[in-house]
Coordinates of all heavy atoms in Angstrom, one line a residue:
M64 N 5.6 -13.3 5.8 CA 6.8 -14.0 6.2 C 7.6 -13.1 7.2 O 8.1 -13.6 8.2 CB 7.7 -14.3 5.0 CG 8.9 -15.0 5.3 SD 8.7 -16.7 5.9 CE 8.4 -17.5 4.3
Y65 N 7.7 -11.8 6.9 CA 8.4 -10.9 7.8 C 7.7 -10.9 9.2 O 8.4 -10.9 10.2 CB 8.6 -9.6 7.2 CG 9.3 -8.6 8.0 CD1 10.7 -8.6 8.1 CD2 8.6 -7.6 8.8 CE1 11.4 -7.8 8.9 CE2 9.3 -6.7 9.6 CZ 10.7 -6.8 9.6 OH 11.4 -5.9 10.4
Y66 N 6.4 -10.8 9.1 CA 5.6 -10.7 10.4 C 5.9 -12.0 11.2 O 6.1 -11.8 12.5 CB 4.1 -10.5 10.1 CG 3.3 -10.6 11.3 CD1 3.1 -9.5 12.1 CD2 2.6 -11.7 11.6 CE1 2.3 -9.5 13.2 CE2 1.8 -11.8 12.8 CZ 1.7 -10.6 13.6 OH 0.9 -10.7 14.7
V67 N 5.8 -13.1 10.6 CA 6.0 -14.4 11.4 C 7.5 -14.4 11.9 O 7.7 -14.7 13.1 CB 5.8 -15.6 10.5 CG1 6.3 -16.8 11.1 CG2 4.3 -15.7 10.1
A68 N 8.4 -14.0 11.1 CA 9.8 -14.0 11.6 C 10.1 -13.1 12.8 O 10.8 -13.4 13.7 CB 10.8 -13.7 10.4
T69 N 9.4 -11.9 12.7 CA 9.6 -11.0 13.8 C 8.8 -11.4 15.1 O 9.3 -11.1 16.2 CB 9.3 -9.5 13.4 OG1 7.9 -9.5 12.9 CG2 10.2 -9.0 12.4
T70 N 7.6 -11.9 14.9 CA 6.8 -12.3 16.0 C 7.4 -13.5 16.8 O 7.3 -13.5 18.0 CB 5.4 -12.6 15.5 OG1 4.9 -11.5 14.8 CG2 4.5 -12.9 16.7
I71 N 8.0 -14.4 16.1 CA 8.6 -15.5 16.8 C 10.0 -15.2 17.3 O 10.7 -16.1 17.8 CB 8.6 -16.8 15.9 CG1 9.5 -16.7 14.7 CG2 7.2 -17.3 15.6 CD1 9.7 -18.0 13.9
Q72 N 10.4 -13.9 17.1 CA 11.7 -13.4 17.6 C 12.9 -14.1 17.0 O 13.8 -14.5 17.7 CB 11.7 -13.4 19.1 CG 10.5 -12.7 19.8 CD 10.5 -12.8 21.3 OE1 11.3 -13.4 21.9 NE2 9.4 -12.4 21.9
S73 N 12.9 -14.2 15.7 CA 14.0 -14.8 15.0 C 15.2 -13.8 15.1 O 14.9 -12.6 15.2 CB 13.7 -15.1 13.6 OG 12.6 -16.0 13.5
N74 N 16.4 -14.3 15.0 CA 17.5 -13.4 15.0 C 17.6 -12.7 13.6 O 17.0 -13.0 12.6 CB 18.8 -14.1 15.4 CG 19.1 -15.2 14.4 OD1 18.6 -15.2 13.3 ND2 20.0 -16.1 14.8
H75 N 18.5 -11.7 13.6 CA 18.6 -10.9 12.4 C 19.1 -11.7 11.1 O 18.6 -11.4 10.0 CB 19.5 -9.7 12.6 CG 19.0 -8.7 13.6 ND1 17.8 -8.0 13.4 CD2 19.3 -8.4 14.9 CE1 17.6 -7.2 14.4 NE2 18.5 -7.5 15.4
F76 N 20.0 -12.6 11.4 CA 20.5 -13.4 10.2 C 19.3 -14.2 9.6 O 19.2 -14.3 8.4 CB 21.6 -14.3 10.7 CG 22.1 -15.2 9.6 CD1 22.9 -14.7 8.6 CD2 21.7 -16.6 9.6 CE1 23.3 -15.6 7.6 CE2 22.1 -17.4 8.5 CZ 22.9 -16.9 7.5
T77 N 18.5 -14.8 10.5 CA 17.4 -15.6 10.0 C 16.4 -14.7 9.2 O 15.9 -15.2 8.1 CB 16.7 -16.3 11.1 OG1 17.6 -17.1 11.9 CG2 15.6 -17.2 10.6
I78 N 16.1 -13.6 9.7 CA 15.2 -12.7 9.0 C 15.8 -12.3 7.6 O 15.1 -12.3 6.6 CB 14.9 -11.4 9.8 CG1 14.0 -11.9 11.1 CG2 14.1 -10.4 9.0 CD1 13.8 -10.8 12.1
K79 N 17.1 -12.0 7.6 CA 17.7 -11.6 6.3 C 17.7 -12.8 5.4 O 17.4 -12.6 4.2 CB 19.1 -11.1 6.5 CG 19.2 -9.8 7.2 CD 20.7 -9.4 7.4 CE 20.7 -8.0 8.2 NZ 22.0 -7.7 8.6
A80 N 17.9 -14.0 5.9 CA 17.9 -15.2 5.0 C 16.5 -15.4 4.4 O 16.4 -15.8 3.3 CB 18.4 -16.4 5.8
L81 N 15.5 -15.2 5.3 CA 14.1 -15.3 4.8 C 13.8 -14.3 3.7 O 13.1 -14.6 2.7 CB 13.1 -15.2 5.9 CG 13.1 -16.4 6.9 CD1 12.2 -16.1 8.1 CD2 12.6 -17.7 6.2
M82 N 14.2 -13.1 3.9 CA 13.9 -12.0 2.9 C 14.7 -12.3 1.6 O 14.2 -12.1 0.5 CB 14.3 -10.7 3.4 CG 13.4 -10.2 4.6 SD 11.6 -10.2 4.2 CE 11.0 -11.6 5.1
V83 N 15.9 -12.8 1.7 CA 16.7 -13.2 0.5 C 15.9 -14.3 -0.2 O 15.8 -14.4 -1.5 CB 18.1 -13.5 0.8 CG1 18.8 -14.2 -0.4 CG2 18.9 -12.3 1.2
T84 N 15.4 -15.3 0.5 CA 14.6 -16.4 0.0 C 13.4 -15.9 -0.8 O 13.0 -16.3 -1.8 CB 14.3 -17.4 1.1 OG1 15.4 -17.8 1.7 CG2 13.5 -18.5 0.5
M85 N 12.8 -14.9 -0.2 CA 11.6 -14.3 -0.8 C 11.9 -13.6 -2.1 O 11.2 -13.7 -3.1 CB 10.8 -13.3 0.1 CG 10.2 -14.0 1.3 SD 9.2 -15.4 0.9 CE 7.9 -14.6 0.0
V86 N 13.0 -12.9 -2.2 CA 13.5 -12.3 -3.4 C 13.8 -13.4 -4.5 O 13.4 -13.3 -5.6 CB 14.7 -11.4 -3.2 CG1 15.3 -10.9 -4.5 CG2 14.3 -10.2 -2.3
C87 N 14.4 -14.5 -4.0 CA 14.6 -15.6 -4.9 C 13.3 -16.2 -5.4 O 13.2 -16.6 -6.6 CB 15.5 -16.7 -4.3 SG 17.2 -16.1 -3.9
Y88 N 12.3 -16.2 -4.5 CA 11.0 -16.8 -4.9 C 10.3 -15.8 -5.9 O 9.6 -16.3 -6.8 CB 10.1 -16.9 -3.7 CG 8.8 -17.6 -3.9 CD1 8.8 -19.0 -4.2 CD2 7.6 -16.9 -3.8 CE1 7.6 -19.6 -4.4 CE2 6.4 -17.6 -4.1 CZ 6.4 -18.9 -4.3 OH 5.3 -19.6 -4.6
L89 N 10.7 -14.6 -5.9 CA 10.1 -13.6 -6.9 C 10.8 -13.8 -8.2 O 10.2 -13.8 -9.3 CB 10.3 -12.2 -6.4 CG 10.0 -11.1 -7.4 CD1 8.5 -11.1 -7.6 CD2 10.4 -9.8 -6.9
I90 N 12.1 -14.1 -8.2 CA 12.9 -14.2 -9.4 C 12.8 -15.5 -10.1 O 12.8 -15.6 -11.3 CB 14.4 -13.8 -9.1 CG1 14.4 -12.3 -8.7 CG2 15.2 -14.1 -10.3 CD1 15.8 -11.9 -8.2
L91 N 12.7 -16.6 -9.3 CA 12.7 -17.9 -9.9 C 11.7 -18.2 -11.0 O 12.1 -18.8 -12.0 CB 12.6 -19.0 -8.8 CG 12.9 -20.4 -9.1 CD1 14.4 -20.5 -9.5 CD2 12.7 -21.3 -7.9
P92 N 10.4 -17.9 -10.9 CA 9.5 -18.1 -12.0 C 9.9 -17.4 -13.3 O 9.8 -17.9 -14.4 CB 8.2 -17.6 -11.5 CG 8.3 -17.7 -10.0 CD 9.7 -17.4 -9.7
H93 N 10.4 -16.1 -13.1 CA 10.9 -15.4 -14.3 C 12.1 -16.1 -15.0 O 12.1 -16.3 -16.2 CB 11.4 -14.0 -13.9 CG 10.3 -13.1 -13.4 ND1 9.8 -13.2 -12.1 CD2 9.5 -12.2 -14.0 CE1 8.8 -12.3 -12.0 NE2 8.6 -11.7 -13.1
L94 N 13.0 -16.6 -14.2 CA 14.1 -17.4 -14.7 C 13.7 -18.6 -15.4 O 14.1 -19.0 -16.5 CB 15.2 -17.7 -13.6 CG 16.4 -18.4 -14.0 CD1 17.2 -17.6 -15.0 CD2 17.2 -18.8 -12.8

Side-chain angles (χ1 to χ4, degrees):
M64 180 69 80
Y65 180 77
Y66 175 78
V67 169
T69 55
T70 306
I71 64 172
Q72 302 174 9
S73 297
N74 61 17
H75 294 293
F76 176 77
T77 304
I78 292 173
K79 287 177 185 174
L81 287 174
M82 293 301 109
V83 168
T84 303
M85 292 307 299
V86 171
C87 292
Y88 189 69
L89 175 68
I90 295 170
L91 192 61
H93 293 82
L94 179 65

